[in-house]
Amino acid sequence: MDFPVCGFSHCRDVVIALSKAGGLGVLGTARYSPEQFDIELTKIDEALDGRPYGVTIIFPTPKADDDGANDPDSLAEKIPDRYWHYVRGLADRFDIPIEDDLKHVEPTQGVVNAFPLTREHALAMLEVTMRHPVSLVSSAIGAPPRDAVDELHRRGVKVCGQVGDPKHVQRHLDAGVDIIVATGTEAGGHTGEIASLVLTPAVVNAAKGVPVLAAGGIGTGKQVTAALALGAAGVWMGSAWLVTVESDLPEELKKKLVAARTSDTIRSRSLSGRMARQLRTPWVDAWEEEGAPSPLLPPLQGVLVKGAQAGMLKRGQENMMGTPVGQIVGDLTAIRSVKDVVLDMMSDSIAAADRVEAAFADLR
Ligand SMILES: Cc1cc2nc3c(=O)[nH]c(=O)nc-3n(C[C@H](O)[C@H](O)[C@H](O)COP(=O)(O)O)c2cc1C
């Protein structure tokens, strides 16, 4: 790597462009079947020709799925009828095209929760990952299983764990991770309540020398310099890549993100059942209104809403289109190439470091 910049994306072209630009692209698994994931990784291998890249796997802490029934059909059967009625009602209200049988919707490419976030899915993705020259495996939500970490280490693969609270660091250290990602509340996607300015140094302290990457709210060089000043070894970004030329997000949604302000995101459980920061839309608001059922625990909420999400994507209704995205969205004001984002950010970061140095020059 030339720059201390890791980037999460579900889109392989972003991953390729970032690793080629000198950072480290990390492909998300949540949207893919194991078969499709294998195809994506093969294309990345061909394009990168030995340059490093990573993958991130969501290892859920057992909750709603802890009785072992993990296939989408049995999960759908666990969902009370009033929830299906609520989703149908929302589909009517917002004119979202949905299947008659919402319980058995085939996974749709591009839908964030196309596959249930189960341990079974995570292990299948891990198995595919091991067939490719992946340099880094990141574990989101829960700590990675110790035996998986040991196996990855035997293959020379580094492992990182994502935390949103310093109290979770030890769990990841016990699992044997090499790197910790501290994800502040500003971040797009699953996120906790602690802001990066407080979280990063607290996680650095708790990590006892294990390198930490700062995530959440990073999109300019000033934030990269700030993250390094807080003790991070580098940064981990997700939202900024959504509005790049390489991103496979629909063009209407990219434009919507470019126009969005810092305050246009909201943390909501409506997407997966876990708090995730996302663009505020009428659909997200409907889960917060009076009389709305409380979102289900993961992975059930994802199973419940995936049919409606597919409908929103198909119809391309601009006002309903949403995505996980962080508060940095207010600073994403143009659609640029991944390479331009990285190079501009690094020169901005150096300028910010120079300013800090000048400010301290007289004190030395
Ligand atoms: C659209 C989107 C989807 C995400 N999905 C995942 C995911 O599946 N797995 C994961 O580990 N992190 C996911 N994240 C979180 C990122 O890994 C990262 O923590 C976050 O984007 C950093 O904050 P930022 O958005 O302010 O850059 C997602 C983020 C975004 C924006």
Side-chain angles (χ1 to χ4, degrees), residues 327-347:
Q327 292 175 332
I328 195 67
V329 70
D331 282 322
L332 308 177
T333 51
I335 300 172
R336 296 183 295 155
S337 71
V338 168
K339 188 174 176 185
D340 283 352
V341 170
V342 173
L343 296 182
D344 288 355
M345 195 170 67
M346 290 321 295
S347 50

Side-chain angles (χ1 to χ4, degrees), residues 7-10 26 28-31 56-58 112 117 138-141 162 181 183-184 186-190 214-219 236-242 249 277 323-329:
F8 166 89
S9 178
H10 282 122
V26 182
T29 51
R31 275 191 196 179
T56 165
I57 301 179
I58 297 183
V112 175
L117 300 180
S138 168
S139 160
I141 302 186
Q162 294 169 229
V181 178
T183 310
E186 304 93 320
H190 292 129
I218 296 168
W236 175 285
M237 298 159 51
S239 296
W241 319 115
L242 295 173
L249 228 54
R277 188 175 294 286
T323 173
V325 72
Q327 292 175 332
I328 195 67
V329 70

Side-chain angles (χ1 to χ4, degrees), residues 86 90 93 284-294:
Y86 191 68
L90 292 184
R93 182 163 132 199
V284 181
D285 282 345
W287 287 91
E288 307 292 328
E289 69 194 17
E290 219 181 307
S294 174

Side-chain angles (χ1 to χ4, degrees), residues 344-363:
D344 288 355
M345 195 170 67
M346 290 321 295
S347 50
D348 185 30
S349 176
I350 292 166
D354 287 347
R355 278 197 304 279
V356 174
E357 191 161 347
F360 282 97
D362 293 343
L363 300 177

Side-chain angles (χ1 to χ4, degrees), residues 233-254:
V235 297
W236 175 285
M237 298 159 51
S239 296
W241 319 115
L242 295 173
V243 295
T244 55
V245 175
E246 290 86 349
S247 154
D248 61 2
L249 228 54
E251 287 305 310
E252 304 88 318
L253 187 48
K254 285 189 195 176

